[in-house]
Amino acid sequence: MAAERSRPPPVKVLSGQLRAAGNGGEANGGEGCVIRAGRKGSLRVSLVWMQGTVVEVQLDTNSVLLMDETGTFTVQGVDSVPQGKPCLAKGKYVMVMGLIQTVSPEPIIRAVKMADLSELAVLHRRMWKLEVEDLQQVLA
């Protein structure tokens, strides 16, 4: 539990950034990966905040496939997270906070929290890339 408390806050990322991460594709036992942030910067991330549209719900594997503007990513452990069940429908726009499990060939995140953002999905989609870029500029 102490490791969970000492973790830095989640970093907003796009799935394409994880896919292109410079660590050989594995999340190195919870250490995360290094993403490119902006033109010159880089960030080590392990706990991420992502947003996307539900493409497929796979209750038998306790996972959901999401798509953001840069590609798809899988979220595992969806039935054991706060607010997880109401989000699990194809077409919903959701946010997920979670730990990176792997980044290649497709990012896989173990969910810590999920929330339905569908009510204001148009606004959230438009703003998401700008929010990601803004936070990463501050952190890099």
Side-chain angles (χ1 to χ4, degrees), residues 16-67:
Q17 290 179 291
L18 294 181
R19 217 173 273 103
N23 75 340
E26 292 302 317
N28 296 332
E31 292 177 23
C33 64
V34 176
I35 62 165
R36 187 170 183 180
R39 294 181 192 157
K40 299 178 185 175
S42 63
L43 289 170
R44 177 162 289 283
V45 297
S46 58
L47 183 62
V48 294
W49 174 338
M50 301 176 76
Q51 291 183 188
T53 302
V54 175
V55 175
E56 185 179 350
V57 178
Q58 302 161 341
L59 293 178
D60 57 325
T61 59
N62 191 22
S63 65
V64 64
L65 181 67
L66 299 180
M67 182 186 307

Side-chain angles (χ1 to χ4, degrees), residues 2-111:
E4 291 293 322
R5 286 189 197 134
S6 66
R7 262 190 215 287
V11 176
K12 295 177 180 182
V13 298
L14 299 170
S15 65
Q17 290 179 291
L18 294 181
R19 217 173 273 103
N23 75 340
E26 292 302 317
N28 296 332
E31 292 177 23
C33 64
V34 176
I35 62 165
R36 187 170 183 180
R39 294 181 192 157
K40 299 178 185 175
S42 63
L43 289 170
R44 177 162 289 283
V45 297
S46 58
L47 183 62
V48 294
W49 174 338
M50 301 176 76
Q51 291 183 188
T53 302
V54 175
V55 175
E56 185 179 350
V57 178
Q58 302 161 341
L59 293 178
D60 57 325
T61 59
N62 191 22
S63 65
V64 64
L65 181 67
L66 299 180
M67 182 186 307
D68 68 13
E69 64 186 69
T70 61
T72 59
F73 58 101
T74 298
V75 179
Q76 296 177 332
V78 296
D79 69 351
S80 59
V81 296
Q83 303 284 318
K85 292 274 186 204
C87 308
L88 302 179
K90 189 174 179 177
K92 294 262 190 185
Y93 189 75
V94 301
M95 67 77 67
V96 61
M97 277 191 250
L99 296 164
I100 299 170
Q101 301 301 294
T102 189
V103 294
S104 179
E106 178 175 274
I108 298 175
I109 308 302
R110 182 172 48 93

